[in-house]
mmCIF file of all heavy atoms in Angstrom:
data_model
loop_
_atom_site.group_PDB
_atom_site.id
_atom_site.type_symbol
_atom_site.label_atom_id
_atom_site.label_comp_id
_atom_site.label_asym_id
_atom_site.label_seq_id
_atom_site.Cartn_x
_atom_site.Cartn_y
_atom_site.Cartn_z
ATOM 1 N N GLY B 1165 -186.351 -71.319 111.888
ATOM 2 C CA GLY B 1165 -187.750 -71.015 112.096
ATOM 3 C C GLY B 1165 -188.755 -71.719 111.137
ATOM 4 O O GLY B 1165 -189.907 -71.399 111.130
ATOM 5 N N ILE B 1166 -188.233 -72.650 110.382
ATOM 6 C CA ILE B 1166 -189.054 -73.356 109.398
ATOM 7 C C ILE B 1166 -189.936 -74.397 110.095
ATOM 8 O O ILE B 1166 -189.411 -75.065 111.011
ATOM 9 C CB ILE B 1166 -188.171 -74.011 108.348
ATOM 10 C CG1 ILE B 1166 -187.403 -72.927 107.550
ATOM 11 C CG2 ILE B 1166 -188.964 -74.887 107.364
ATOM 12 C CD1 ILE B 1166 -188.243 -71.858 106.966
ATOM 13 N N LYS B 1167 -191.174 -74.550 109.720
ATOM 14 C CA LYS B 1167 -192.090 -75.474 110.391
ATOM 15 C C LYS B 1167 -192.331 -76.745 109.569
ATOM 16 O O LYS B 1167 -192.828 -77.729 110.086
ATOM 17 C CB LYS B 1167 -193.447 -74.799 110.610
ATOM 18 C CG LYS B 1167 -193.386 -73.491 111.412
ATOM 19 C CD LYS B 1167 -193.008 -73.765 112.858
ATOM 20 C CE LYS B 1167 -193.056 -72.470 113.661
ATOM 21 N NZ LYS B 1167 -192.305 -72.611 114.940
ATOM 22 N N LYS B 1168 -192.064 -76.672 108.278
ATOM 23 C CA LYS B 1168 -192.416 -77.818 107.376
ATOM 24 C C LYS B 1168 -191.345 -77.939 106.300
ATOM 25 O O LYS B 1168 -190.934 -76.947 105.696
ATOM 26 C CB LYS B 1168 -193.765 -77.503 106.759
ATOM 27 C CG LYS B 1168 -194.295 -78.603 105.837
ATOM 28 C CD LYS B 1168 -195.690 -78.283 105.372
ATOM 29 C CE LYS B 1168 -196.325 -79.345 104.540
ATOM 30 N NZ LYS B 1168 -197.707 -78.987 104.176
ATOM 31 N N MET B 1169 -190.999 -79.205 106.036
ATOM 32 C CA MET B 1169 -190.040 -79.452 104.949
ATOM 33 C C MET B 1169 -190.681 -80.324 103.892
ATOM 34 O O MET B 1169 -191.464 -81.240 104.209
ATOM 35 C CB MET B 1169 -188.747 -80.138 105.477
ATOM 36 C CG MET B 1169 -187.973 -79.206 106.432
ATOM 37 S SD MET B 1169 -186.560 -80.066 107.184
ATOM 38 C CE MET B 1169 -185.410 -80.138 105.817
ATOM 39 N N THR B 1170 -190.400 -80.032 102.643
ATOM 40 C CA THR B 1170 -190.941 -80.845 101.545
ATOM 41 C C THR B 1170 -189.759 -81.466 100.806
ATOM 42 O O THR B 1170 -188.683 -80.923 100.734
ATOM 43 C CB THR B 1170 -191.730 -80.017 100.538
ATOM 44 O OG1 THR B 1170 -190.827 -79.094 99.856
ATOM 45 C CG2 THR B 1170 -192.829 -79.202 101.217
ATOM 46 N N THR B 1171 -190.014 -82.657 100.247
ATOM 47 C CA THR B 1171 -188.977 -83.282 99.454
ATOM 48 C C THR B 1171 -189.625 -84.320 98.532
ATOM 49 O O THR B 1171 -190.810 -84.543 98.608
ATOM 50 C CB THR B 1171 -187.898 -83.959 100.360
ATOM 51 O OG1 THR B 1171 -186.741 -84.206 99.507
ATOM 52 C CG2 THR B 1171 -188.365 -85.303 100.909
ATOM 53 N N GLU B 1172 -188.802 -84.835 97.638
ATOM 54 C CA GLU B 1172 -189.286 -85.897 96.756
ATOM 55 C C GLU B 1172 -188.528 -87.193 97.153
ATOM 56 O O GLU B 1172 -187.464 -87.130 97.761
ATOM 57 C CB GLU B 1172 -188.977 -85.583 95.294
ATOM 58 C CG GLU B 1172 -187.530 -85.779 94.857
ATOM 59 C CD GLU B 1172 -186.603 -84.753 95.535
ATOM 60 O OE1 GLU B 1172 -187.056 -83.637 95.843
ATOM 61 O OE2 GLU B 1172 -185.430 -85.078 95.754
ATOM 62 N N THR B 1173 -189.040 -88.296 96.713
ATOM 63 C CA THR B 1173 -188.280 -89.541 96.911
ATOM 64 C C THR B 1173 -188.680 -90.527 95.803
ATOM 65 O O THR B 1173 -189.819 -90.478 95.285
ATOM 66 C CB THR B 1173 -188.529 -90.159 98.331
ATOM 67 O OG1 THR B 1173 -187.468 -91.092 98.619
ATOM 68 C CG2 THR B 1173 -189.890 -90.880 98.396
ATOM 69 N N GLY B 1174 -187.710 -91.341 95.397
ATOM 70 C CA GLY B 1174 -188.003 -92.356 94.415
ATOM 71 C C GLY B 1174 -188.404 -93.642 95.102
ATOM 72 O O GLY B 1174 -189.558 -93.795 95.539
ATOM 73 N N ALA B 1175 -187.449 -94.532 95.356
ATOM 74 C CA ALA B 1175 -187.777 -95.782 96.044
ATOM 75 C C ALA B 1175 -188.054 -95.557 97.508
ATOM 76 O O ALA B 1175 -188.662 -96.413 98.193
ATOM 77 C CB ALA B 1175 -186.598 -96.744 95.893
ATOM 78 N N GLY B 1176 -187.623 -94.404 98.070
ATOM 79 C CA GLY B 1176 -188.025 -94.097 99.430
ATOM 80 C C GLY B 1176 -186.918 -93.998 100.443
ATOM 81 O O GLY B 1176 -187.162 -93.661 101.599
ATOM 82 N N GLN B 1177 -185.667 -94.272 100.070
ATOM 83 C CA GLN B 1177 -184.526 -94.160 100.996
ATOM 84 C C GLN B 1177 -184.442 -92.747 101.580
ATOM 85 O O GLN B 1177 -184.306 -92.552 102.797
ATOM 86 C CB GLN B 1177 -183.229 -94.433 100.270
ATOM 87 C CG GLN B 1177 -182.983 -95.924 99.963
ATOM 88 C CD GLN B 1177 -182.248 -96.627 101.097
ATOM 89 O OE1 GLN B 1177 -182.152 -96.076 102.213
ATOM 90 N NE2 GLN B 1177 -181.764 -97.792 100.854
ATOM 91 N N TRP B 1178 -184.471 -91.774 100.676
ATOM 92 C CA TRP B 1178 -184.289 -90.381 101.111
ATOM 93 C C TRP B 1178 -185.543 -89.907 101.883
ATOM 94 O O TRP B 1178 -185.435 -89.298 102.914
ATOM 95 C CB TRP B 1178 -183.957 -89.466 99.964
ATOM 96 C CG TRP B 1178 -184.076 -88.006 100.300
ATOM 97 C CD1 TRP B 1178 -184.931 -87.112 99.789
ATOM 98 C CD2 TRP B 1178 -183.321 -87.333 101.325
ATOM 99 N NE1 TRP B 1178 -184.765 -85.887 100.407
ATOM 100 C CE2 TRP B 1178 -183.756 -85.990 101.349
ATOM 101 C CE3 TRP B 1178 -182.298 -87.699 102.196
ATOM 102 C CZ2 TRP B 1178 -183.256 -85.051 102.224
ATOM 103 C CZ3 TRP B 1178 -181.767 -86.747 103.095
ATOM 104 C CH2 TRP B 1178 -182.247 -85.450 103.082
ATOM 105 N N GLY B 1179 -186.716 -90.228 101.350
ATOM 106 C CA GLY B 1179 -187.943 -89.775 102.004
ATOM 107 C C GLY B 1179 -188.011 -90.324 103.433
ATOM 108 O O GLY B 1179 -188.396 -89.607 104.378
ATOM 109 N N SER B 1180 -187.657 -91.586 103.639
ATOM 110 C CA SER B 1180 -187.718 -92.139 104.985
ATOM 111 C C SER B 1180 -186.662 -91.502 105.894
ATOM 112 O O SER B 1180 -186.924 -91.290 107.093
ATOM 113 C CB SER B 1180 -187.589 -93.651 104.964
ATOM 114 O OG SER B 1180 -186.426 -94.075 104.354
ATOM 115 N N ALA B 1181 -185.524 -91.149 105.343
ATOM 116 C CA ALA B 1181 -184.483 -90.527 106.183
ATOM 117 C C ALA B 1181 -184.930 -89.131 106.635
ATOM 118 O O ALA B 1181 -184.756 -88.780 107.796
ATOM 119 C CB ALA B 1181 -183.155 -90.427 105.391
ATOM 120 N N LEU B 1182 -185.563 -88.382 105.723
ATOM 121 C CA LEU B 1182 -186.023 -87.034 106.116
ATOM 122 C C LEU B 1182 -187.186 -87.116 107.097
ATOM 123 O O LEU B 1182 -187.280 -86.360 108.058
ATOM 124 C CB LEU B 1182 -186.381 -86.187 104.897
ATOM 125 C CG LEU B 1182 -186.580 -84.719 105.217
ATOM 126 C CD1 LEU B 1182 -185.286 -84.057 105.712
ATOM 127 C CD2 LEU B 1182 -187.145 -83.915 104.027
ATOM 128 N N ALA B 1183 -188.070 -88.099 106.873
ATOM 129 C CA ALA B 1183 -189.195 -88.343 107.799
ATOM 130 C C ALA B 1183 -188.669 -88.638 109.204
ATOM 131 O O ALA B 1183 -189.160 -88.059 110.213
ATOM 132 C CB ALA B 1183 -190.081 -89.483 107.303
ATOM 133 N N PHE B 1184 -187.659 -89.497 109.286
ATOM 134 C CA PHE B 1184 -187.046 -89.872 110.530
ATOM 135 C C PHE B 1184 -186.480 -88.607 111.250
ATOM 136 O O PHE B 1184 -186.737 -88.354 112.416
ATOM 137 C CB PHE B 1184 -185.933 -90.844 110.228
ATOM 138 C CG PHE B 1184 -184.859 -91.019 111.284
ATOM 139 C CD1 PHE B 1184 -185.110 -91.823 112.399
ATOM 140 C CD2 PHE B 1184 -183.614 -90.426 111.141
ATOM 141 C CE1 PHE B 1184 -184.142 -91.968 113.384
ATOM 142 C CE2 PHE B 1184 -182.612 -90.612 112.107
ATOM 143 C CZ PHE B 1184 -182.893 -91.353 113.259
ATOM 144 N N ALA B 1185 -185.757 -87.773 110.488
ATOM 145 C CA ALA B 1185 -185.103 -86.578 111.079
ATOM 146 C C ALA B 1185 -186.176 -85.583 111.542
ATOM 147 O O ALA B 1185 -186.033 -85.029 112.643
ATOM 148 C CB ALA B 1185 -184.141 -85.945 110.054
ATOM 149 N N CYS B 1186 -187.153 -85.332 110.689
ATOM 150 C CA CYS B 1186 -188.193 -84.354 111.072
ATOM 151 C C CYS B 1186 -188.958 -84.829 112.277
ATOM 152 O O CYS B 1186 -189.341 -84.002 113.125
ATOM 153 C CB CYS B 1186 -189.136 -84.142 109.858
ATOM 154 S SG CYS B 1186 -188.390 -83.148 108.544
ATOM 155 N N ASN B 1187 -189.216 -86.131 112.353
ATOM 156 C CA ASN B 1187 -189.943 -86.670 113.493
ATOM 157 C C ASN B 1187 -189.229 -86.376 114.802
ATOM 158 O O ASN B 1187 -189.814 -85.952 115.807
ATOM 159 C CB ASN B 1187 -190.164 -88.156 113.310
ATOM 160 C CG ASN B 1187 -191.041 -88.806 114.368
ATOM 161 O OD1 ASN B 1187 -192.067 -88.269 114.711
ATOM 162 N ND2 ASN B 1187 -190.651 -89.973 114.843
ATOM 163 N N LEU B 1188 -187.890 -86.597 114.794
ATOM 164 C CA LEU B 1188 -187.133 -86.371 116.017
ATOM 165 C C LEU B 1188 -187.082 -84.907 116.371
ATOM 166 O O LEU B 1188 -186.998 -84.521 117.558
ATOM 167 C CB LEU B 1188 -185.701 -86.915 115.849
ATOM 168 C CG LEU B 1188 -185.589 -88.423 115.704
ATOM 169 C CD1 LEU B 1188 -184.147 -88.828 115.508
ATOM 170 C CD2 LEU B 1188 -186.182 -89.163 116.897
ATOM 171 N N LEU B 1189 -187.093 -84.001 115.362
ATOM 172 C CA LEU B 1189 -186.948 -82.567 115.609
ATOM 173 C C LEU B 1189 -188.307 -81.843 115.721
ATOM 174 O O LEU B 1189 -188.330 -80.653 115.981
ATOM 175 C CB LEU B 1189 -186.094 -81.949 114.566
ATOM 176 C CG LEU B 1189 -184.577 -82.179 114.788
ATOM 177 C CD1 LEU B 1189 -183.796 -82.146 113.538
ATOM 178 C CD2 LEU B 1189 -184.045 -81.140 115.783
ATOM 179 N N GLY B 1190 -189.383 -82.577 115.470
ATOM 180 C CA GLY B 1190 -190.703 -81.955 115.560
ATOM 181 C C GLY B 1190 -191.012 -80.999 114.461
ATOM 182 O O GLY B 1190 -191.626 -79.928 114.660
ATOM 183 N N ILE B 1191 -190.582 -81.317 113.231
ATOM 184 C CA ILE B 1191 -190.916 -80.544 112.051
ATOM 185 C C ILE B 1191 -191.888 -81.342 111.187
ATOM 186 O O ILE B 1191 -191.723 -82.571 111.088
ATOM 187 C CB ILE B 1191 -189.644 -80.203 111.208
ATOM 188 C CG1 ILE B 1191 -188.678 -79.386 112.064
ATOM 189 C CG2 ILE B 1191 -190.002 -79.451 109.954
ATOM 190 C CD1 ILE B 1191 -187.414 -79.097 111.313
ATOM 191 N N GLU B 1192 -192.833 -80.675 110.569
ATOM 192 C CA GLU B 1192 -193.726 -81.369 109.656
ATOM 193 C C GLU B 1192 -192.935 -81.798 108.411
ATOM 194 O O GLU B 1192 -192.043 -81.096 107.966
ATOM 195 C CB GLU B 1192 -194.849 -80.407 109.248
ATOM 196 C CG GLU B 1192 -196.172 -81.049 108.935
ATOM 197 C CD GLU B 1192 -197.227 -80.001 108.547
ATOM 198 O OE1 GLU B 1192 -197.243 -78.919 109.167
ATOM 199 O OE2 GLU B 1192 -197.966 -80.250 107.599
ATOM 200 N N CYS B 1193 -193.303 -82.958 107.857
ATOM 201 C CA CYS B 1193 -192.538 -83.450 106.681
ATOM 202 C C CYS B 1193 -193.502 -83.945 105.634
ATOM 203 O O CYS B 1193 -194.410 -84.726 105.913
ATOM 204 C CB CYS B 1193 -191.631 -84.591 107.117
ATOM 205 S SG CYS B 1193 -190.623 -85.303 105.795
ATOM 206 N N LYS B 1194 -193.321 -83.409 104.406
ATOM 207 C CA LYS B 1194 -194.167 -83.834 103.321
ATOM 208 C C LYS B 1194 -193.294 -84.443 102.209
ATOM 209 O O LYS B 1194 -192.344 -83.808 101.742
ATOM 210 C CB LYS B 1194 -194.904 -82.589 102.749
ATOM 211 C CG LYS B 1194 -195.691 -82.818 101.477
ATOM 212 C CD LYS B 1194 -197.020 -83.514 101.759
ATOM 213 C CE LYS B 1194 -198.032 -83.255 100.624
ATOM 214 N NZ LYS B 1194 -198.578 -81.903 100.662
ATOM 215 N N VAL B 1195 -193.597 -85.693 101.810
ATOM 216 C CA VAL B 1195 -192.808 -86.353 100.858
ATOM 217 C C VAL B 1195 -193.613 -86.686 99.603
ATOM 218 O O VAL B 1195 -194.628 -87.351 99.680
ATOM 219 C CB VAL B 1195 -192.204 -87.673 101.409
ATOM 220 C CG1 VAL B 1195 -191.348 -88.380 100.382
ATOM 221 C CG2 VAL B 1195 -191.448 -87.434 102.707
ATOM 222 N N TYR B 1196 -193.146 -86.209 98.434
ATOM 223 C CA TYR B 1196 -193.776 -86.581 97.171
ATOM 224 C C TYR B 1196 -193.001 -87.816 96.659
ATOM 225 O O TYR B 1196 -191.826 -87.742 96.315
ATOM 226 C CB TYR B 1196 -193.653 -85.413 96.182
ATOM 227 C CG TYR B 1196 -194.575 -84.280 96.536
ATOM 228 C CD1 TYR B 1196 -194.165 -83.236 97.358
ATOM 229 C CD2 TYR B 1196 -195.885 -84.226 96.055
ATOM 230 C CE1 TYR B 1196 -195.023 -82.209 97.729
ATOM 231 C CE2 TYR B 1196 -196.754 -83.200 96.428
ATOM 232 C CZ TYR B 1196 -196.322 -82.194 97.240
ATOM 233 O OH TYR B 1196 -197.161 -81.195 97.587
ATOM 234 N N MET B 1197 -193.716 -88.919 96.628
ATOM 235 C CA MET B 1197 -193.096 -90.197 96.257
ATOM 236 C C MET B 1197 -193.548 -90.573 94.845
ATOM 237 O O MET B 1197 -194.757 -90.549 94.549
ATOM 238 C CB MET B 1197 -193.480 -91.288 97.250
ATOM 239 C CG MET B 1197 -192.768 -92.591 97.019
ATOM 240 S SD MET B 1197 -193.083 -93.726 98.416
ATOM 241 C CE MET B 1197 -192.026 -95.132 97.980
ATOM 242 N N VAL B 1198 -192.598 -90.833 93.969
ATOM 243 C CA VAL B 1198 -192.910 -91.220 92.575
ATOM 244 C C VAL B 1198 -194.002 -92.310 92.599
ATOM 245 O O VAL B 1198 -193.882 -93.327 93.269
ATOM 246 C CB VAL B 1198 -191.648 -91.734 91.881
ATOM 247 C CG1 VAL B 1198 -191.942 -92.251 90.496
ATOM 248 C CG2 VAL B 1198 -190.593 -90.637 91.816
ATOM 249 N N ARG B 1199 -195.089 -92.054 91.810
ATOM 250 C CA ARG B 1199 -196.294 -92.884 91.942
ATOM 251 C C ARG B 1199 -196.026 -94.384 91.798
ATOM 252 O O ARG B 1199 -196.506 -95.196 92.586
ATOM 253 C CB ARG B 1199 -197.361 -92.492 90.898
ATOM 254 C CG ARG B 1199 -198.611 -93.340 90.939
ATOM 255 C CD ARG B 1199 -199.722 -92.787 90.063
ATOM 256 N NE ARG B 1199 -200.199 -91.538 90.559
ATOM 257 C CZ ARG B 1199 -201.115 -91.397 91.570
ATOM 258 N NH1 ARG B 1199 -201.611 -92.468 92.157
ATOM 259 N NH2 ARG B 1199 -201.492 -90.215 91.967
ATOM 260 N N ILE B 1200 -195.199 -94.798 90.852
ATOM 261 C CA ILE B 1200 -194.993 -96.222 90.646
ATOM 262 C C ILE B 1200 -194.355 -96.867 91.879
ATOM 263 O O ILE B 1200 -194.748 -97.976 92.263
ATOM 264 C CB ILE B 1200 -194.205 -96.499 89.330
ATOM 265 C CG1 ILE B 1200 -194.192 -97.984 89.046
ATOM 266 C CG2 ILE B 1200 -192.785 -95.953 89.452
ATOM 267 C CD1 ILE B 1200 -193.733 -98.293 87.638
ATOM 268 N N SER B 1201 -193.454 -96.146 92.523
ATOM 269 C CA SER B 1201 -192.859 -96.694 93.781
ATOM 270 C C SER B 1201 -193.884 -96.675 94.912
ATOM 271 O O SER B 1201 -193.945 -97.632 95.703
ATOM 272 C CB SER B 1201 -191.628 -95.857 94.188
ATOM 273 O OG SER B 1201 -190.634 -95.954 93.230
#
Side-chain angles (χ1 to χ4, degrees):
Chain B
I1166 298 306
K1167 304 291 184 198
K1168 182 176 183 177
M1169 294 175 75
T1170 66
T1171 197
E1172 76 292 332
T1173 199
Q1177 284 271 15
W1178 168 243
S1180 57
L1182 191 65
F1184 162 79
C1186 286
N1187 187 42
L1188 294 178
L1189 280 153
I1191 299 179
E1192 211 181 319
C1193 180
K1194 172 78 159 285
V1195 181
Y1196 289 89
M1197 185 171 186
V1198 175
R1199 178 170 294 279
I1200 189 166
S1201 296

